[in-house]
Amino acid sequence: ISCSDQEISTFKKLFKYLLTSDQEKSLNEILIDLKSGHPMMRLLQGDVGSGKTTVAIISALASLKCGYQVAFMCPTETLALQHFSTINEILQPLNFKVILLLGSHTAKEKKIIINQLKANEIDLIIGTHSLFQESVEFNKLGLAIIDEQHKFGVEQRIKLKKKGVGVHCLIMTATPIPRSLSLTQYGDL
């Protein structure tokens, strides 16, 4: 996954504010990981309101621009709805199809969404635990973003990553727990 500096600059202009130096640094590290040819497994930690979602959206845009699908998983429907509202508004001018998949959807609604996802008619899907269910199949998943990752188990994160080949994973948290910090020091994060 690789984007030119010009494309990244265009993505940044979608926001009504300039990125902070810490956001720029985190974004640059993520973009290097995406270009590396190896699946990224990165923790993005910052206080509530520090701009983690901004960095995640620009990372998602790099993946979308290269023809990959993006999954954005949240622990609650409320958070998923918030992210959907924000992301859909930001991506609207770029004509990427952003869809919400929740456990509260009817079976008929879920089937339509799952069929569209498999047919590559959905670019970015935002959802809860429903995203790693067996019935959910992606056509070309390139990036999995997991918000409040401490509320998901390791196996749940792995299930989502296994929805594609060489899927990059960006996990975000405002409250890193000891397990997350141990994974960054000794594990695969």
Side-chain angles (χ1 to χ4, degrees), residues 1 26-44 55-56 59-60 63 142-145 157 161 166-171 188-189:
I1 296 175
S26 296
L27 178 62
N28 288 335
E29 289 175 4
I30 291 166
L31 294 172
I32 289 168
D33 284 352
L34 293 176
K35 290 179 192 176
S36 74
H38 303 287
M40 171 182 74
M41 179 61 79
R42 183 172 285 274
L43 173 69
L44 181 59
V55 172
S59 303
S63 299
L143 175 64
I145 300 168
R157 186 180 78 205
K161 275 193 66 153
V167 176
H168 296 285
C169 191
L170 177 63
I171 60 178
D188 65 339
L189 196 56

Side-chain angles (χ1 to χ4, degrees), residues 14-15 17 57 61 85-94:
L14 294 170
F15 298 89
Y17 48 85
I57 293 170
L61 283 166
S85 176
T86 301
I87 293 170
N88 197 36
E89 183 180 328
I90 292 168
L91 299 191
Q92 208 164 28
L94 302 177

Side-chain angles (χ1 to χ4, degrees), residues 54-146:
T54 300
V55 172
I57 293 170
I58 297 170
S59 303
L61 283 166
S63 299
L64 294 172
K65 186 74 175 166
C66 291
Y68 290 96
Q69 292 172 301
V70 175
F72 198 121
M73 190 166 69
C74 308
T76 65
E77 289 197 4
T78 302
L79 187 57
L81 285 162
Q82 288 173 347
H83 280 310
F84 176 76
S85 176
T86 301
I87 293 170
N88 197 36
E89 183 180 328
I90 292 168
L91 299 191
Q92 208 164 28
L94 302 177
N95 293 320
F96 288 116
K97 186 170 183 179
V98 181
I99 292 290
L100 189 61
L101 178 63
L102 303 173
S104 62
H105 281 121
T106 65
K108 184 179 180 180
E109 290 170 325
K110 287 179 187 175
K111 186 175 183 180
I112 291 168
I113 292 169
I114 289 168
N115 287 338
Q116 290 177 337
L117 190 63
K118 189 174 181 181
N120 207 24
E121 296 169 8
I122 295 173
D123 300 302
L124 192 150
I125 189 162
I126 300 167
T128 55
H129 297 73
S130 53
L131 291 181
F132 61 77
Q133 300 305 312
E134 210 170 296
S135 60
V136 176
E137 293 180 49
F138 291 81
N139 182 283
K140 194 175 179 185
L141 180 61
L143 175 64
I145 300 168
I146 303 171

Side-chain angles (χ1 to χ4, degrees), residues 164-182:
V165 177
V167 176
H168 296 285
C169 191
L170 177 63
I171 60 178
M172 304 189 302
T173 188
T175 53
I177 59 172
R179 183 186 74 196
S180 299
L181 296 175
S182 294

Side-chain angles (χ1 to χ4, degrees), residues 15 17 19-20 22-24 26 44 46-58 172:
F15 298 89
Y17 48 85
L19 271 62
T20 66
D22 286 338
Q23 288 171 322
E24 289 280 1
S26 296
L44 181 59
D47 292 335
V48 173
S50 65
K52 296 182 298 292
T53 303
T54 300
V55 172
I57 293 170
I58 297 170
M172 304 189 302

